[in-house]
Amino acid sequence: MSLSYASGTSAVPLLGETIGANLDRTVAAFPDRDALVECETGRRWSYAQLAADVDAVALGLLARGVAKGDRVGIWAPNRAEWFLVQYATAKIGAILVTINPAYRVHELEFVLNQAGVRTLVAAPSFKTSDYAAMIEQVRGRCPALDDVVLLGEESWDALVDDGRAGDPAALAAAGAALGADDPINIQYTSGTTGFPKGATLSHHNILNNGFFVGETCGYDAEDRICVPVPFYHCFGMVMGNLAATSHGACVVVPAPGFDAAATLAAAEAEACTSLYGVPTMFIAMLNDPSFGDRDLSALRTGIMAGSPCPVEVMKQVIERMGMAEVTICYGMTETSPVSTQTRAGDSLDRRVSTVGTVHPHLEVKVVDPATGAAVPRGEPGELCTRGYSVMLGYWDEPAKTAEVIDAARWMHTGDLAVMDADGYVSITGRIKDMVIRGGENVYPREVEEFLHTHPDVVDAQVIGVPDAVYGEELMAWVRLRDGAEPLTADAVRAFCRDRLAHYKIPRYVHLVDAFPMTVTGKVRKVQMRAEAVELLGLGDGPGGSGTGAAPASG
């Protein structure tokens, strides 16, 4: 009997250096090659120019008193300055706190305080979000925050000017004091207990994960990677930026936020060889009116991740986009993120029915959730992963860290999986109630706790229901206080708007007098989902036939 355990062997050793040292090596090897292209503004950087600007930002931060271990927040959509701040903080050992551009005041305040952010670099605004106004709203309630730098405004220009006038010896001294195991990044994941948790990652964690994602995609200095996925997430900053800079490749930023037409235009104009996205992004690109006019012949590979890929979408990505070597990745923020990945030579079936095999230098196993023992191959259980990629822990939350990382340093993912005889892993479900909406992870408890703040809500339970576009949508089952006026879905959304990120706002609302319960008093969400699918006419799985035209019921 073969157990569900696999380890990733590799002739390529792990990198034992900091992100700054790795970037310096790449700059020395490829000074004149393209490093970064921002399509919206037409700005471009060679590796030599990138190094000069990164060092200027790093010295500017040092001049403002930012030191090793200080937390620096970045709250902005995808733009070149985001990239510069990522590498500048790494060079001085400041811990970059990446903040979701969709966050509202409620979430921003929590993250700034939980991480103890001292310096916040932010875009003044993006789309309908007035970041500058929201920052002012919370600033008095965030005692650690003593410096705000707004991109494109005087404060940013002053920081860069200070850095250009700074002493390079100070930056070299700061870099010499760093180690590869130092924490360098805090990424917030939606919390199962009401608020997000800050996964704390080291140079060693994310540099190596980016490097081996790039190795698995076959990257070299000739590659040009189109990155429409957000930088604030590991998909953008690790699988995109660090995979590129560790190989001398170029990052192409199509637009500040995802735009199908802009992404296709960027891939054509910059002759991109690789393209990233969650399945909904690829669906949008394939259906964009401009698709047929684009020359995507340079495309070779790419990554699809975030949620399962429908087989027809994968076929079209390979056939119509020319991405014959496209890969599927599986991971989580807490593991830097990638643990398994399909390979270029894998069959179409394996690329749509599995998430590949274990990554180099990592271990994965599937265990019985009750006993922790590895199950035989072919049997379901909880997927666990161990190795260089496992986070240092949740920032300032040792008890929550201990809930997911056991004494042997295995990260318990909460995902149900099956490993086949050849070591390919399929994700079959989730132990936790996480909802994946368009590639965004949403934990219902966070939304439930927020709904409880509504004066008329006695109790709320949130579930995921099938959706043809996003994979899943949120549905709130709500109990109202006696005598309260019935709440419509529009009223609930209005209550959430400006306080929760858009992807956490329930699309459907169902008013109930009671929830289905187990004998022991636990809410039966499995039964709720089954009833919801029937109630809304959504079919029986992701991509069900229902359109969800009725946004509220009860």
Side-chain angles (χ1 to χ4, degrees), residues 34 176 182 193 250 254 345 378:
D34 283 350
D182 293 337
T193 54
C250 176

Side-chain angles (χ1 to χ4, degrees), residues 193 237 272 389 477:
T193 54
M237 71 169 286
C272 291
S389 68
W477 288 38

Side-chain angles (χ1 to χ4, degrees), residues 457-474:
V457 172
V458 171
D459 200 0
Q461 296 290 328
V462 173
I463 58 172
V465 295
D467 185 80
V469 175
Y470 293 105
E472 289 183 287
E473 270 283 11
L474 291 184

Side-chain angles (χ1 to χ4, degrees), residues 15-26:
L15 301 173
E17 60 196 347
T18 64
I19 291 167
N22 181 263
L23 178 63
D24 287 345
R25 277 205 300 124
T26 300

Side-chain angles (χ1 to χ4, degrees), residues 32-74:
D32 300 323
R33 294 200 72 89
D34 283 350
L36 178 63
V37 176
E38 186 179 70
C39 294
E40 186 178 65
T41 63
R43 295 185 294 171
R44 324 173 70 84
W45 285 258
S46 68
Y47 267 100
Q49 291 166 332
L50 179 73
D53 283 356
V54 165
D55 288 359
V57 175
L59 280 163
L61 290 169
L62 285 176
R64 286 171 174 247
V66 177
K68 177 182 176 180
D70 284 347
R71 272 76 71 204
V72 174
I74 177 79

